[in-house]
Amino acid sequence: MNVRRSAAALAASAVLCVGAAPAALADTAPPASPSAPPVIPSGLYGKTDPSYDGVWRQSFALLAQHTVGVEPAREAVTWLLGQQCQTGGFASFRANAAVACDANTMYDTNATSAAVQALKALGGHDAAVRKSVDWLKSVQNEDGGWSYVPGSPSDANSTAVVISALSVAGEKPAEVRSKAGKSAYEGLLPFQLGCAAEPAADRGAFAYQPADGKLVANADATAAAALAGLGKGAAVVPSAENTPAAPLVCPAANAADPVAAAQGAAGYLAEALKKDGHLMAVTPGSDQPVPDTGNTVDAVLALAAAGHKESTAGAMKWLETNSAEWAKGSPAALGSLVLATHATGADPKSFGGTDLVAALNATGPAPQGADTKATEVDGEKEKSSGGQNVWWIVGAGAAAGIGIGILLSGRRKKNGS
């Protein structure tokens, strides 16, 4: 999971709120005017406008740091906690967290789910996690699923991300039921393209939402759904299991089995990666597909979680030389790369010639006890050993990679990625 946010989600999030937090936690910035550059709170990772991804990118930065043994800066954790509304939910970003959330708050289930994973992993924040879990349950749709913005129709991406958060928090998604009695998995599995799908290569994939009544394979949804079906979050523990990914079993032995569905999704992703080692997507305003770096990272994470590390080899090799420009200075993208690299058993401190952990640390407040000689990005001087890092140079051609891809990637690219 990295920064997924679809164009629809971004548009919906344009009406952002301000939310509740004790004044002591309100290290926030005033809203920037349309003509002014964004003012970045001191505890927040990343230097770009956080309006649509502040909580998401912070959560992935903290989760990635913790996963590889880095203790995040206290001010970074405090900033994330301060973004939580009194209801337990999170907006994508609240410029002034000292002002309580209200009826105009634009809540974000994806951001809330990411925060749950980060805060649960860090430990010591059980009350905050419990409030967020309770809020997520309260906005479950009758069909068992979730939407990006509560009150909208369910989508596979959001449903999957919420399920992963619930699983990480210790909930059993099969027992989390809507007012109509539908479980979380009953809300997710109908989005999977089954044995009747054509072309056959799309079988096992998940759609974001039906398009004109038809399910269309969506890589972002598929990767997220694979993690959810396995009951896992983005912090995947490296496994010794290494079996070939297989296509969806047809006829389906048990269409209601989330693990079988997840393995079918993994089979789709593995096959999609075989040709070039990366996924493809069509960018807005163009009819020509380009490499989709974000969802390629998501696919690697999903395949590693499913026990198919050998199916990630080509993608990891491609990412080593093609993800630099996409990830440069982005805490969500760097965090996702750290998580994917860790999940495959590789060393995130030596990825294509760079230290991903140092690059991530350099996007925000220095971690506790960290080596402050972290790699600097965004055109600044390289401070790590050995002079200029080649990885950041050779990846310039990857700018076309879209989707800080598992969720902005739309969380994120809601259709056709």
Side-chain angles (χ1 to χ4, degrees):
M1 298 186 173
N2 27 13
V3 211
R4 311 197 253 299
R5 288 193 185 283
S6 69
L10 292 179
S13 298
V15 185
L16 292 173
C17 67
V18 284
L25 300 183
D27 180 16
T28 55
S33 67
S35 59
V39 179
I40 309 300
S42 62
L44 177 62
Y45 280 82
K47 304 303 179 186
T48 59
D49 187 347
S51 296
Y52 306 118
D53 75 336
V55 169
W56 180 269
R57 77 196 198 197
Q58 188 81 347
S59 298
F60 267 83
L62 299 180
L63 182 61
Q65 287 177 329
H66 174 80
T67 299
V68 294
V70 174
E71 188 172 2
R74 291 187 181 90
E75 63 180 308
V77 179
T78 297
W79 183 89
L80 181 60
L81 287 167
Q83 287 287 299
Q84 187 177 39
C85 295
Q86 66 271 26
T87 60
F90 284 75
S92 302
F93 170 74
R94 296 192 296 121
N96 186 357
V99 179
C101 299
D102 58 22
N104 295 318
T105 297
M106 184 67 71
Y107 286 97
D108 178 342
T109 62
N110 290 218
T112 303
S113 298
V116 165
Q117 292 196 49
L119 293 173
K120 180 66 177 179
L122 292 172
H125 306 291
D126 290 349
V129 170
R130 183 73 259 164
K131 286 181 67 176
S132 288
V133 166
D134 289 344
W135 179 80
L136 287 169
K137 290 181 176 180
S138 76
V139 295
Q140 185 178 19
N141 287 337
E142 289 195 358
D143 63 7
W146 282 264
S147 58
Y148 184 91
V149 177
S152 301
S154 299
D155 66 80
N157 302 53
S158 298
T159 300
V161 174
V162 172
I163 288 175
S164 286
L166 293 173
S167 298
V168 168
E171 298 288 327
K172 296 181 179 179
E175 298 176 5
V176 176
R177 295 186 175 274
S178 69
K179 293 179 180 179
K182 295 288 187 178
S183 75
Y185 281 129
E186 288 179 287
L188 176 64
L189 299 188
F191 290 103
Q192 188 168 37
L193 283 70
C195 297
E198 293 295 341
D202 285 349
R203 296 174 186 177
F206 278 72
Y208 165 69
Q209 282 178 331
D212 297 325
K214 180 182 178 182
L215 296 178
V216 179
N218 180 289
D220 191 28
T222 304
L227 285 178
L230 295 167
K232 297 182 179 182
V236 174
V237 177
S239 171
E241 183 180 359
N242 189 12
T243 58
L248 183 71
V249 176
C250 290
N254 185 356
D257 180 0
V259 174
Q263 291 294 347
Y268 165 83
L269 292 171
E271 189 64 29
L273 289 172
K274 277 184 178 180
K275 181 181 179 182
D276 301 310
H278 60 81
L279 301 176
M280 300 290 290
V282 177
T283 57
S286 172
D287 58 358
Q288 297 299 316
V290 296
D292 183 349
T293 312
N295 280 334
T296 298
V297 177
D298 287 348
V300 166
L301 193 60
L303 287 166
H308 309 309
K309 188 171 70 172
E310 69 178 51
S311 296
T312 71
M316 288 298 289
K317 185 175 181 179
W318 183 84
L319 287 168
E320 283 187 351
T321 55
N322 293 278
S323 62
E325 190 67 23
W326 169 78
K328 189 175 182 180
S330 168
L334 287 165
S336 295
L337 278 171
V338 168
L339 291 168
T341 305
H342 173 77
T344 60
D347 183 4
K349 293 186 177 182
S350 180
F351 181 76
T354 198
D355 183 339
L356 292 174
V357 179
L360 172 61
N361 294 346
T363 66
Q368 299 181 55
D371 179 0
T372 56
K373 297 180 186 177
T375 302
E376 293 190 12
V377 294
D378 293 327
E380 296 184 45
K381 182 180 179 181
E382 171 91 11
K383 292 185 179 179
S384 60
S385 62
Q388 196 169 23
N389 193 313
V390 176
W391 188 75
W392 294 110
I393 301 174
V394 298
I402 67 172
I404 296 179
I406 200 163
L407 320 288
L408 225 220
S409 139
R411 215 135 243 46
R412 312 135 122 303
K413 306 179 290 280
K414 305 260 175 176
N415 285 305
S417 62

